[in-house]
Coordinates of all heavy atoms in Angstrom, one line a residue:
M1 N -23.1 -6.1 22.0 CA -24.0 -6.0 23.1 C -25.3 -5.2 22.6 O -25.2 -4.2 22.0 CB -23.4 -5.3 24.3 CG -24.4 -4.9 25.3 SD -23.6 -3.9 26.7 CE -23.0 -5.3 27.6
I2 N -26.4 -5.7 23.1 CA -27.7 -5.0 22.8 C -28.2 -4.5 24.1 O -28.3 -5.2 25.1 CB -28.7 -6.0 22.2 CG1 -28.2 -6.4 20.8 CG2 -30.1 -5.3 22.1 CD1 -29.1 -7.5 20.2
V3 N -28.5 -3.2 24.1 CA -29.1 -2.5 25.3 C -30.5 -2.1 24.9 O -30.7 -1.2 24.1 CB -28.2 -1.3 25.7 CG1 -28.8 -0.6 27.0 CG2 -26.8 -1.6 26.0
D4 N -31.4 -2.8 25.5 CA -32.8 -2.6 25.2 C -33.4 -1.5 26.1 O -33.5 -1.6 27.3 CB -33.6 -3.9 25.5 CG -35.1 -3.8 25.1 OD1 -35.5 -2.8 24.5 OD2 -35.8 -4.8 25.3
L5 N -33.8 -0.4 25.4 CA -34.4 0.7 26.1 C -35.9 0.9 25.9 O -36.5 1.9 26.3 CB -33.7 2.0 25.5 CG -32.2 2.0 25.6 CD1 -31.6 3.3 24.9 CD2 -31.7 1.9 27.1
S6 N -36.5 -0.2 25.3 CA -37.9 -0.1 24.9 C -38.9 0.0 26.1 O -40.0 0.5 25.9 CB -38.3 -1.2 24.0 OG -38.1 -2.5 24.7
E7 N -38.5 -0.4 27.3 CA -39.3 -0.4 28.4 C -39.1 0.8 29.4 O -39.7 0.9 30.4 CB -39.3 -1.7 29.2 CG -39.7 -2.9 28.4 CD -41.1 -2.8 27.9 OE1 -42.0 -2.4 28.7 OE2 -41.4 -3.2 26.7
V8 N -38.1 1.6 29.0 CA -37.7 2.8 29.9 C -38.8 3.8 29.9 O -39.2 4.3 28.9 CB -36.3 3.3 29.5 CG1 -36.0 4.6 30.2 CG2 -35.2 2.3 29.7
E9 N -39.2 4.2 31.1 CA -40.2 5.2 31.3 C -39.7 6.5 32.0 O -40.3 7.6 31.8 CB -41.4 4.7 32.2 CG -42.1 3.5 31.6 CD -43.1 3.9 30.5 OE1 -43.6 5.0 30.6 OE2 -43.3 3.0 29.6
T10 N -38.6 6.4 32.8 CA -38.1 7.5 33.5 C -36.6 7.6 33.4 O -35.9 6.6 33.0 CB -38.4 7.4 35.0 OG1 -37.6 6.3 35.5 CG2 -39.9 7.2 35.3
A11 N -36.0 8.7 33.7 CA -34.6 8.9 33.6 C -33.9 8.0 34.6 O -32.8 7.4 34.3 CB -34.2 10.4 33.9
R12 N -34.5 7.7 35.7 CA -33.9 6.8 36.7 C -33.8 5.4 36.1 O -32.8 4.7 36.2 CB -34.6 6.8 38.0 CG -34.1 5.8 39.0 CD -34.6 6.1 40.4 NE -34.2 5.1 41.4 CZ -33.0 4.9 41.9 NH1 -32.0 5.7 41.5 NH2 -32.7 4.0 42.7
Q13 N -34.9 4.9 35.5 CA -34.9 3.6 34.8 C -33.8 3.6 33.8 O -33.2 2.5 33.6 CB -36.3 3.3 34.2 CG -37.3 3.0 35.2 CD -38.7 2.7 34.5 OE1 -38.9 3.3 33.5 NE2 -39.5 1.9 35.1
L14 N -33.7 4.6 33.0 CA -32.7 4.6 32.0 C -31.3 4.4 32.6 O -30.5 3.6 32.1 CB -32.7 6.0 31.2 CG -31.6 6.2 30.2 CD1 -31.6 5.1 29.1 CD2 -31.8 7.6 29.5
H15 N -31.0 5.1 33.6 CA -29.7 5.0 34.2 C -29.5 3.6 34.9 O -28.4 3.0 34.8 CB -29.4 6.1 35.3 CG -29.0 7.4 34.6 ND1 -27.8 7.6 34.1 CD2 -29.8 8.5 34.3 CE1 -27.7 8.8 33.6 NE2 -29.0 9.4 33.7
L16 N -30.5 3.0 35.4 CA -30.4 1.6 35.9 C -30.1 0.6 34.8 O -29.3 -0.3 35.0 CB -31.7 1.2 36.6 CG -31.9 1.8 38.0 CD1 -33.4 1.5 38.5 CD2 -30.9 1.2 39.0
V17 N -30.8 0.8 33.6 CA -30.5 -0.1 32.5 C -29.1 0.1 32.1 O -28.4 -0.9 31.8 CB -31.5 0.2 31.3 CG1 -31.0 -0.4 30.0 CG2 -32.9 -0.2 31.7
L18 N -28.6 1.3 32.0 CA -27.2 1.6 31.5 C -26.2 1.0 32.6 O -25.2 0.4 32.2 CB -27.0 3.0 31.3 CG -27.8 3.7 30.2 CD1 -27.7 5.2 30.2 CD2 -27.4 3.1 28.8
K19 N -26.5 1.2 33.8 CA -25.6 0.7 34.9 C -25.5 -0.8 34.8 O -24.4 -1.4 34.9 CB -26.2 1.1 36.3 CG -25.4 0.6 37.4 CD -26.0 1.0 38.7 CE -25.2 0.5 39.9 NZ -25.8 0.9 41.2
R20 N -26.6 -1.5 34.7 CA -26.6 -3.0 34.6 C -25.9 -3.5 33.3 O -25.1 -4.4 33.3 CB -28.0 -3.5 34.6 CG -28.6 -3.4 36.0 CD -30.0 -4.1 36.0 NE -30.7 -3.7 37.2 CZ -31.9 -3.1 37.2 NH1 -32.5 -2.8 36.1 NH2 -32.5 -2.7 38.3
A21 N -26.3 -2.8 32.2 CA -25.7 -3.3 30.9 C -24.2 -3.2 30.9 O -23.5 -4.1 30.3 CB -26.4 -2.5 29.8
F22 N -23.7 -2.1 31.4 CA -22.2 -1.8 31.2 C -21.4 -2.2 32.5 O -20.2 -2.0 32.5 CB -22.0 -0.3 30.9 CG -22.6 0.0 29.5 CD1 -23.4 1.2 29.4 CD2 -22.5 -0.8 28.4 CE1 -23.9 1.5 28.2 CE2 -23.1 -0.5 27.2 CZ -23.8 0.7 27.1
G23 N -22.1 -2.6 33.5 CA -21.4 -3.1 34.7 C -20.8 -1.9 35.5 O -19.7 -2.1 36.0
F24 N -21.5 -0.8 35.6 CA -21.0 0.3 36.4 C -20.9 -0.1 37.9 O -21.8 -0.9 38.3 CB -21.9 1.5 36.2 CG -21.9 2.1 34.8 CD1 -22.9 3.0 34.5 CD2 -21.0 1.8 33.9 CE1 -22.9 3.6 33.2 CE2 -21.0 2.4 32.6 CZ -22.0 3.3 32.3
P25 N -20.0 0.5 38.6 CA -19.9 0.1 40.0 C -21.1 0.6 40.9 O -21.8 1.5 40.4 CB -18.6 0.9 40.4 CG -18.4 2.0 39.5 CD -19.0 1.5 38.2
P26 N -21.2 0.1 42.1 CA -22.3 0.5 42.9 C -22.4 2.0 43.2 O -23.5 2.5 43.4 CB -22.0 -0.3 44.2 CG -21.2 -1.4 43.8 CD -20.4 -1.0 42.7
M27 N -21.3 2.7 43.2 CA -21.2 4.1 43.4 C -21.7 5.0 42.3 O -21.8 6.2 42.4 CB -19.8 4.5 43.8 CG -18.9 4.4 42.6 SD -17.2 4.8 43.0 CE -16.5 5.0 41.4
Y28 N -22.1 4.3 41.2 CA -22.6 5.1 40.0 C -23.6 6.1 40.4 O -24.6 5.7 41.0 CB -23.1 4.1 38.9 CG -23.7 4.8 37.7 CD1 -22.9 5.7 36.9 CD2 -25.0 4.6 37.4 CE1 -23.5 6.3 35.8 CE2 -25.6 5.3 36.3 CZ -24.8 6.1 35.5 OH -25.4 6.7 34.4
G29 N -23.5 7.3 40.1 CA -24.3 8.4 40.5 C -25.6 8.6 39.8 O -26.4 9.5 40.2
M30 N -26.0 7.8 38.8 CA -27.3 7.8 38.2 C -27.6 9.2 37.5 O -28.7 9.7 37.6 CB -28.4 7.5 39.1 CG -28.2 6.1 39.8 SD -28.4 4.7 38.8 CE -30.1 4.6 38.7
N31 N -26.6 9.8 36.9 CA -26.7 11.1 36.2 C -25.7 11.1 35.1 O -24.9 10.3 35.0 CB -26.6 12.3 37.2 CG -25.2 12.4 37.8 OD1 -24.2 12.5 37.1 ND2 -25.1 12.2 39.1
W32 N -25.9 12.1 34.2 CA -25.1 12.1 33.0 C -23.6 12.4 33.2 O -22.7 11.9 32.5 CB -25.7 13.1 31.9 CG -27.0 12.5 31.4 CD1 -28.2 13.1 31.5 CD2 -27.2 11.3 30.8 NE1 -29.2 12.3 31.0 CE2 -28.6 11.2 30.6 CE3 -26.4 10.2 30.4 CZ2 -29.1 10.0 29.9 CZ3 -26.9 9.1 29.8 CH2 -28.3 9.0 29.6
D33 N -23.3 13.2 34.2 CA -21.9 13.4 34.6 C -21.2 12.1 35.1 O -20.1 11.8 34.7 CB -21.7 14.5 35.7 CG -22.0 15.9 35.2 OD1 -21.8 16.1 34.0 OD2 -22.4 16.7 36.0
A34 N -22.0 11.4 35.9 CA -21.5 10.1 36.4 C -21.4 9.1 35.2 O -20.4 8.3 35.2 CB -22.4 9.5 37.4
Y35 N -22.3 9.1 34.2 CA -22.2 8.3 33.1 C -21.0 8.5 32.3 O -20.2 7.6 31.9 CB -23.5 8.5 32.2 CG -23.5 7.6 31.0 CD1 -23.9 6.3 31.1 CD2 -23.1 8.1 29.7 CE1 -23.9 5.5 30.0 CE2 -23.1 7.3 28.6 CZ -23.5 6.0 28.7 OH -23.6 5.2 27.6
W36 N -20.7 9.8 32.0 CA -19.4 10.1 31.3 C -18.2 9.6 32.0 O -17.3 9.1 31.5 CB -19.4 11.6 31.1 CG -18.2 12.0 30.3 CD1 -17.1 12.7 30.8 CD2 -17.9 11.8 28.9 NE1 -16.1 12.8 29.8 CE2 -16.6 12.3 28.6 CE3 -18.6 11.1 27.9 CZ2 -16.1 12.2 27.4 CZ3 -18.1 11.1 26.6 CH2 -16.8 11.6 26.4
D37 N -18.2 9.9 33.4 CA -17.0 9.4 34.1 C -16.9 7.9 34.1 O -15.8 7.4 34.0 CB -17.2 9.8 35.6 CG -17.0 11.3 35.8 OD1 -16.5 12.0 34.9 OD2 -17.4 11.8 36.9
A38 N -18.0 7.2 34.1 CA -18.0 5.7 34.0 C -17.4 5.2 32.7 O -16.6 4.3 32.7 CB -19.3 5.2 34.3
I39 N -17.9 5.8 31.6 CA -17.5 5.2 30.3 C -16.1 5.7 29.9 O -15.5 5.1 29.0 CB -18.6 5.5 29.2 CG1 -18.7 7.0 28.9 CG2 -19.9 4.9 29.5 CD1 -19.5 7.4 27.6
T40 N -15.6 6.7 30.5 CA -14.3 7.2 30.1 C -13.2 6.8 31.1 O -12.0 7.1 30.9 CB -14.3 8.7 29.9 OG1 -14.7 9.4 31.1 CG2 -15.2 9.1 28.7
G41 N -13.6 6.2 32.3 CA -12.6 5.9 33.2 C -12.8 4.8 34.1 O -11.9 4.3 34.8
L42 N -14.0 4.3 34.2 CA -14.3 3.2 35.2 C -14.5 1.8 34.5 O -14.2 0.8 35.1 CB -15.5 3.5 36.0 CG -15.4 4.7 36.9 CD1 -16.7 5.0 37.6 CD2 -14.3 4.5 37.9
V43 N -15.1 1.8 33.3 CA -15.4 0.5 32.7 C -14.9 0.6 31.2 O -14.8 1.7 30.6 CB -16.9 0.2 32.7 CG1 -17.4 0.0 34.1 CG2 -17.7 1.1 31.9
E44 N -14.7 -0.5 30.6 CA -14.4 -0.6 29.2 C -15.7 -1.0 28.5 O -16.2 -2.1 28.8 CB -13.3 -1.6 28.9 CG -13.0 -1.8 27.5 CD -12.3 -0.6 26.8 OE1 -11.7 0.2 27.5 OE2 -12.4 -0.5 25.6
L45 N -16.2 -0.2 27.6 CA -17.4 -0.5 26.9 C -17.1 -1.6 25.8 O -16.0 -1.7 25.3 CB -18.0 0.7 26.2 CG -18.6 1.8 27.1 CD1 -19.1 2.9 26.3 CD2 -19.6 1.2 28.1
P46 N -18.1 -2.4 25.5 CA -17.9 -3.4 24.5 C -17.6 -2.8 23.1 O -17.9 -1.6 22.9 CB -19.3 -4.1 24.4 CG -20.1 -3.6 25.5 CD -19.5 -2.4 26.1
D47 N -17.0 -3.6 22.2 CA -16.7 -3.0 20.9 C -17.9 -2.7 20.1 O -17.8 -1.7 19.3 CB -15.8 -4.0 20.1 CG -14.4 -4.2 20.7 OD1 -14.0 -3.3 21.5 OD2 -13.7 -5.1 20.4
E48 N -19.0 -3.4 20.3 CA -20.2 -3.1 19.5 C -21.4 -2.9 20.5 O -21.6 -3.9 21.3 CB -20.5 -4.2 18.5 CG -19.5 -4.2 17.4 CD -20.0 -5.1 16.2 OE1 -21.2 -5.3 16.1 OE2 -19.1 -5.6 15.5
I49 N -22.1 -1.8 20.4 CA -23.3 -1.6 21.2 C -24.4 -1.2 20.3 O -24.2 -0.3 19.5 CB -23.0 -0.4 22.2 CG1 -21.8 -0.8 23.1 CG2 -24.3 -0.2 23.1 CD1 -21.3 0.4 24.0
T50 N -25.5 -1.8 20.5 CA -26.7 -1.4 19.8 C -27.8 -1.1 20.8 O -28.1 -1.9 21.7 CB -27.3 -2.5 18.9 OG1 -26.3 -2.9 17.9 CG2 -28.5 -2.1 18.2
F51 N -28.2 0.2 20.8 CA -29.3 0.6 21.7 C -30.6 0.4 20.9 O -30.9 1.0 19.9 CB -29.2 2.1 22.0 CG -28.0 2.4 22.9 CD1 -26.8 2.9 22.4 CD2 -28.1 2.2 24.3 CE1 -25.7 3.2 23.2 CE2 -27.0 2.5 25.1 CZ -25.8 3.0 24.5
T52 N -31.4 -0.6 21.4 CA -32.7 -0.8 20.7 C -33.8 -0.1 21.5 O -33.6 0.3 22.7 CB -33.0 -2.3 20.7 OG1 -33.1 -2.9 22.0 CG2 -32.0 -3.1 19.9
G53 N -35.0 0.1 20.9 CA -36.0 0.8 21.5 C -35.8 2.3 21.4 O -36.4 3.1 22.2
W54 N -34.9 2.7 20.5 CA -34.5 4.1 20.5 C -35.6 5.1 20.2 O -35.8 6.1 20.9 CB -33.4 4.3 19.5 CG -32.8 5.7 19.6 CD1 -33.0 6.8 18.8 CD2 -31.9 6.1 20.7 NE1 -32.3 7.9 19.3 CE2 -31.6 7.5 20.5 CE3 -31.4 5.5 21.8 CZ2 -30.8 8.3 21.3 CZ3 -30.6 6.3 22.7 CH2 -30.3 7.6 22.4
A55 N -36.5 4.8 19.3 CA -37.6 5.7 18.9 C -38.5 5.9 20.1 O -38.9 7.0 20.4 CB -38.4 5.1 17.7
R56 N -38.8 4.9 20.8 CA -39.7 5.0 22.0 C -39.0 5.8 23.1 O -39.6 6.7 23.7 CB -40.0 3.6 22.6 CG -41.0 3.7 23.7 CD -41.5 2.4 24.1 NE -42.6 2.5 25.1 CZ -42.4 2.8 26.4 NH1 -41.2 3.1 26.8 NH2 -43.4 2.9 27.2
L57 N -37.7 5.6 23.3 CA -37.0 6.4 24.3 C -37.0 7.9 23.9 O -37.2 8.7 24.8 CB -35.5 5.9 24.5 CG -34.7 6.7 25.5 CD1 -35.1 6.4 26.9 CD2 -33.2 6.5 25.3
A58 N -36.7 8.1 22.7 CA -36.7 9.5 22.2 C -38.1 10.2 22.3 O -38.2 11.4 22.6 CB -36.2 9.6 20.7
E59 N -39.1 9.4 22.3 CA -40.5 9.9 22.4 C -40.8 10.2 23.9 O -41.3 11.2 24.3 CB -41.5 8.9 21.9 CG -42.9 9.4 22.0 CD -43.9 8.3 21.5 OE1 -43.7 7.9 20.3 OE2 -44.8 7.9 22.2
K60 N -40.4 9.2 24.8 CA -40.7 9.3 26.2 C -39.8 10.3 26.9 O -40.2 11.0 27.8 CB -40.6 7.9 26.9 CG -41.6 6.9 26.5 CD -42.9 7.4 27.0 CE -43.4 6.5 28.1 NZ -44.7 6.9 28.6
L61 N -38.5 10.2 26.6 CA -37.5 11.0 27.3 C -36.6 11.7 26.2 O -35.4 11.4 26.1 CB -36.6 10.2 28.2 CG -37.4 9.4 29.3 CD1 -36.4 8.4 29.9 CD2 -37.9 10.3 30.3
P62 N -37.1 12.7 25.5 CA -36.3 13.3 24.4 C -35.0 13.9 24.8 O -34.0 13.7 24.1 CB -37.3 14.3 23.8 CG -38.4 14.5 24.8 CD -38.4 13.3 25.6
R63 N -35.0 14.6 25.9 CA -33.8 15.2 26.4 C -32.7 14.2 26.8 O -31.6 14.3 26.4 CB -34.1 16.2 27.5 CG -32.8 17.0 28.0 CD -32.3 17.9 26.9 NE -31.1 18.6 27.4 CZ -30.0 18.7 26.7 NH1 -29.9 18.2 25.4 NH2 -28.9 19.2 27.2
D64 N -33.1 13.2 27.5 CA -32.2 12.2 27.9 C -31.7 11.4 26.7 O -30.5 11.0 26.7 CB -32.8 11.2 28.9 CG -33.0 11.9 30.3 OD1 -32.0 12.2 30.9 OD2 -34.2 12.1 30.7
A65 N -32.5 11.1 25.7 CA -32.1 10.4 24.5 C -31.1 11.3 23.8 O -30.0 10.7 23.3 CB -33.3 10.1 23.6
E66 N -31.3 12.5 23.7 CA -30.4 13.4 23.0 C -29.0 13.5 23.8 O -28.0 13.4 23.1 CB -31.0 14.9 23.0 CG -30.1 15.9 22.4 CD -30.7 17.3 22.4 OE1 -31.9 17.4 22.6 OE2 -29.9 18.2 22.2
I67 N -29.1 13.5 25.1 CA -27.8 13.6 25.9 C -27.1 12.3 25.7 O -25.8 12.3 25.5 CB -28.1 13.8 27.3 CG1 -28.6 15.3 27.5 CG2 -26.9 13.6 28.2 CD1 -29.2 15.5 28.9
L68 N -27.7 11.1 25.8 CA -27.1 9.8 25.6 C -26.4 9.8 24.2 O -25.2 9.3 24.1 CB -28.1 8.7 25.8 CG -27.5 7.3 25.6 CD1 -26.3 7.0 26.5 CD2 -28.6 6.3 25.8
R69 N -27.1 10.2 23.2 CA -26.5 10.1 21.9 C -25.3 11.0 21.8 O -24.2 10.6 21.2 CB -27.5 10.5 20.8 CG -26.9 10.3 19.4 CD -27.9 10.7 18.3 NE -29.0 9.8 18.1 CZ -29.0 8.8 17.2 NH1 -28.0 8.6 16.4 NH2 -30.1 8.0 17.1
E70 N -25.4 12.2 22.3 CA -24.3 13.2 22.3 C -23.1 12.6 23.1 O -21.9 12.7 22.6 CB -24.7 14.5 22.9 CG -25.6 15.3 22.0 CD -26.1 16.6 22.7 OE1 -25.7 16.9 23.9 OE2 -26.9 17.3 22.1
L71 N -23.3 12.0 24.2 CA -22.2 11.4 25.0 C -21.5 10.3 24.3 O -20.3 10.1 24.3 CB -22.7 11.0 26.4 CG -23.0 12.1 27.3 CD1 -23.6 11.6 28.6 CD2 -21.9 13.0 27.6
M72 N -22.3 9.5 23.6 CA -21.7 8.3 22.8 C -21.0 8.9 21.6 O -19.9 8.3 21.3 CB -22.8 7.3 22.4 CG -23.5 6.7 23.6 SD -22.5 6.1 25.0 CE -21.6 4.8 24.2
D73 N -21.5 9.9 21.0 CA -20.7 10.5 19.9 C -19.4 11.1 20.4 O -18.4 10.9 19.8 CB -21.6 11.6 19.2 CG -22.7 11.1 18.4 OD1 -22.7 9.9 18.1 OD2 -23.6 11.9 18.0
D74 N -19.5 11.8 21.5 CA -18.2 12.3 22.1 C -17.2 11.2 22.5 O -16.0 11.4 22.3 CB -18.6 13.2 23.4 CG -19.2 14.5 23.0 OD1 -19.3 14.9 21.8 OD2 -19.8 15.1 24.0
Y75 N -17.8 10.1 23.0 CA -16.9 9.0 23.4 C -16.1 8.5 22.2 O -15.0 8.1 22.3 CB -17.8 7.9 23.9 CG -17.2 6.6 24.3 CD1 -16.4 6.5 25.5 CD2 -17.2 5.5 23.4 CE1 -15.8 5.2 25.8 CE2 -16.6 4.3 23.7 CZ -15.9 4.2 24.9 OH -15.3 3.0 25.2
L76 N -16.8 8.5 21.0 CA -16.1 8.0 19.8 C -15.2 9.0 19.1 O -14.4 8.7 18.3 CB -17.1 7.5 18.8 CG -17.9 6.2 19.3 CD1 -18.9 5.9 18.2 CD2 -17.0 5.1 19.6
A77 N -15.3 10.3 19.5 CA -14.6 11.4 18.9 C -13.3 11.7 19.6 O -13.0 11.1 20.6 CB -15.5 12.6 18.9
E78 N -12.6 12.6 19.0 CA -11.3 13.1 19.6 C -11.6 13.7 21.0 O -12.7 14.2 21.2 CB -10.7 14.1 18.7 CG -10.2 13.6 17.4 CD -9.0 12.6 17.5 OE1 -8.4 12.6 18.6 OE2 -8.7 11.9 16.6
P79 N -10.7 13.5 22.0 CA -9.4 12.9 21.9 C -9.4 11.4 22.1 O -8.4 10.8 22.3 CB -8.6 13.6 23.0 CG -9.7 13.9 24.0 CD -10.9 14.2 23.2
Y80 N -10.6 10.8 22.2 CA -10.7 9.4 22.5 C -10.7 8.5 21.3 O -10.6 7.3 21.4 CB -12.0 9.1 23.3 CG -12.1 10.1 24.4 CD1 -13.0 11.2 24.3 CD2 -11.4 9.9 25.6 CE1 -13.1 12.1 25.4 CE2 -11.5 10.8 26.6 CZ -12.3 11.9 26.5 OH -12.4 12.8 27.5
A81 N -10.7 9.1 20.1 CA -10.8 8.3 18.9 C -9.8 7.2 18.7 O -10.1 6.1 18.3 CB -10.9 9.2 17.6
A82 N -8.6 7.5 19.1 CA -7.5 6.5 18.9 C -7.8 5.3 19.8 O -7.4 4.2 19.4 CB -6.2 7.1 19.3
F83 N -8.4 5.5 20.9 CA -8.7 4.3 21.8 C -9.9 3.6 21.4 O -10.1 2.4 21.7 CB -8.8 4.8 23.2 CG -7.6 5.5 23.8 CD1 -7.6 6.8 24.0 CD2 -6.5 4.7 24.1 CE1 -6.4 7.4 24.5 CE2 -5.4 5.3 24.6 CZ -5.3 6.7 24.8
H84 N -10.8 4.2 20.6 CA -12.1 3.7 20.3 C -12.4 3.5 18.8 O -13.5 3.3 18.4 CB -13.2 4.6 20.9 CG -13.0 4.9 22.4 ND1 -13.0 3.9 23.3 CD2 -12.9 6.0 23.0 CE1 -12.8 4.4 24.5 NE2 -12.7 5.7 24.3
A85 N -11.4 3.5 18.0 CA -11.5 3.5 16.6 C -12.2 2.2 16.1 O -12.9 2.2 15.1 CB -10.2 3.6 15.9
H86 N -12.1 1.1 16.9 CA -12.7 -0.2 16.5 C -14.1 -0.3 17.1 O -14.7 -1.3 16.8 CB -11.8 -1.3 17.0 CG -11.7 -1.3 18.5 ND1 -10.9 -0.4 19.2 CD2 -12.2 -2.1 19.5 CE1 -10.9 -0.6 20.5 NE2 -11.8 -1.6 20.7
K87 N -14.6 0.6 17.8 CA -15.9 0.5 18.4 C -17.0 1.0 17.5 O -16.8 1.9 16.7 CB -15.9 1.3 19.7 CG -14.9 0.7 20.7 CD -15.2 1.1 22.1 CE -14.2 0.6 23.0 NZ -14.6 -0.5 23.8
R88 N -18.2 0.4 17.7 CA -19.3 0.8 16.8 C -20.6 0.9 17.7 O -20.8 0.0 18.5 CB -19.6 -0.3 15.8 CG -20.6 0.1 14.8 CD -20.7 -1.0 13.8 NE -22.1 -1.4 13.9 CZ -22.7 -2.2 13.1 NH1 -22.1 -2.7 12.1 NH2 -24.0 -2.5 13.3
I89 N -21.3 2.0 17.6 CA -22.4 2.2 18.4 C -23.6 2.6 17.5 O -23.4 3.5 16.6 CB -22.2 3.3 19.4 CG1 -21.1 3.0 20.4 CG2 -23.5 3.6 20.2 CD1 -20.6 4.1 21.3
T90 N -24.7 1.9 17.6 CA -25.9 2.1 16.8 C -27.1 2.4 17.6 O -27.2 1.9 18.8 CB -26.1 1.0 15.8 OG1 -26.3 -0.2 16.5 CG2 -25.0 0.9 14.8
F91 N -28.1 3.1 17.1 CA -29.3 3.4 17.7 C -30.5 3.0 16.9 O -30.6 3.5 15.8 CB -29.4 4.9 18.0 CG -28.2 5.5 18.8 CD1 -27.1 5.9 18.1 CD2 -28.3 5.6 20.1 CE1 -26.0 6.4 18.8 CE2 -27.2 6.1 20.9 CZ -26.1 6.5 20.2
E92 N -31.2 2.0 17.3 CA -32.3 1.4 16.5 C -33.6 1.6 17.2 O -33.7 1.5 18.4 CB -32.0 -0.1 16.2 CG -30.8 -0.3 15.4 CD -30.5 -1.8 15.2 OE1 -31.2 -2.6 15.7 OE2 -29.6 -2.0 14.4

């Protein structure tokens, strides 16, 4: 799956893109706590995710880009590693 972040201008837009891309439920809270809850308990993320437009996102929303990368790193790390060993996430 490719998640294009190149047109994101605001944190709200970022969460809308993530919600649509990953099929989060209508109740998704549009914040990083809700994102974590969604990816660890509400939806199954695809085996391969490529976030494109990463440099632009990091320039426009540096803190949100940092948080997203940290959450995805945590998602792939212990204690979840056994469940996600086959998953691959890239930032381009």
Side-chain angles (χ1 to χ4, degrees):
M1 166 183 278
I2 295 173
V3 181
D4 184 3
L5 305 175
S6 62
E7 300 298 318
V8 171
E9 298 283 332
T10 67
R12 178 165 175 73
Q13 285 178 331
L14 174 57
H15 283 281
L16 282 171
V17 168
L18 297 170
K19 178 181 179 179
R20 288 185 196 123
F22 298 134
F24 294 165
M27 66 182 196
Y28 175 62
M30 307 288 281
N31 62 62
W32 293 119
D33 288 334
Y35 180 80
W36 181 252
D37 291 345
I39 67 171
T40 59
L42 296 177
V43 301
E44 178 68 26
L45 293 181
D47 288 346
E48 291 190 26
I49 302 168
T50 299
F51 292 100
T52 61
W54 189 258
R56 185 173 187 284
L57 180 72
E59 179 182 306
K60 289 296 248 180
L61 301 170
R63 183 66 184 131
D64 288 297
E66 179 182 341
I67 292 169
L68 177 55
R69 185 181 288 264
E70 288 173 2
L71 290 175
M72 298 315 294
D73 287 347
D74 289 349
Y75 175 80
L76 295 176
E78 293 293 345
Y80 310 101
F83 298 107
H84 308 299
H86 61 285
K87 298 200 183 253
R88 189 181 117 168
I89 300 170
T90 57
F91 303 87
E92 299 178 352

